[in-house]
């Protein structure tokens, strides 16, 4: 089974860096003030602003929430800035389970088509963990939804 390589292209991105800087500038604050407002460390925003290093998914969600933008826009996966936050955000585990039940597929069927083990899928459905960005993207593609929808940040599936 294929695994995500350690030199994944989703570790840093010039597009992410540029969008992050531009969106923070729209907030009319310094990156350090933004870090405090978003609840992330100064080192996270410094690495994002200088090197384009993409933080962990949990930190990325905090940043996107503070910027009121979609992860797909922030990461350069779309050119659309439109983002409507879910009035009652869901969580990843509930969305994952709902999508699987909606499609009426077994975890083993999904696992056979994914770059991760079936055991991880079970863990994500049951426990409070969130997969890496690479795995989130693979799951979102499989279910034909955005990563923002999958994470429960929006009710818009696209």
């Amino acid at each position: 089974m294929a695994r995500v390589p350690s030199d994944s292209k989703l570790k840093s991105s010039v597009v992410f860096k540029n969008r992050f800087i531009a969106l923070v500038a729209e907030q009319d604050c310094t990156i350090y003030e933004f870090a405090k407002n978003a609840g992330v460390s100064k080192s996270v925003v410094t690495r994002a602003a200088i090197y384009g290093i993409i933080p962990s998914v949990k930190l990325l969600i905090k940043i996107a929430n503070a910027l009121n933008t979609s992860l797909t826009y922030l990461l350069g996966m779309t050119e659309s800035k439109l983002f409507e936050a879910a009035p009652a955000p869901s969580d990843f585990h509930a969305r994952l389970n709902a999508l699987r039940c909606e499609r009426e597929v077994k975890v083993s069927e999904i696992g056979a088509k994914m770059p991760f083990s079936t055991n991880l899928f079970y863990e994500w459905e049951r426990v409070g963990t969130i997969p890496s960005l690479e795995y989130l993207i693979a799951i979102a593609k499989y279910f034909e939804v955005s990563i923002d929808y999958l994470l429960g940040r929006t009710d818009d599936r696209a």
Side-chain angles (χ1 to χ4, degrees), residues 37-116:
N37 296 340
V40 298
S41 72
K42 289 180 182 180
S43 63
V44 168
V45 295
T46 300
R47 288 190 301 266
I50 295 173
Y51 304 109
I53 295 175
I54 300 170
S56 71
V57 173
K58 286 184 179 184
L59 293 176
L60 197 57
I61 292 168
K62 284 183 171 187
I63 290 169
N65 285 346
L67 293 169
N68 193 32
T69 193
S70 70
L71 291 173
T72 52
Y73 177 75
L74 186 59
L75 293 168
M77 299 168 74
T78 184
E79 293 302 314
S80 174
K81 286 181 101 173
L82 296 176
F83 176 72
E84 187 174 330
S90 180
D91 65 13
F92 167 72
H93 323 293
R95 281 278 164 91
L96 185 61
N97 189 39
L99 287 167
R100 188 175 64 75
C101 292
E102 182 181 293
R103 286 263 179 107
E104 298 178 349
V105 293
K106 296 179 182 177
V107 172
S108 59
E109 294 174 58
I110 298 168
K113 297 177 181 182
M114 293 289 135
F116 50 78

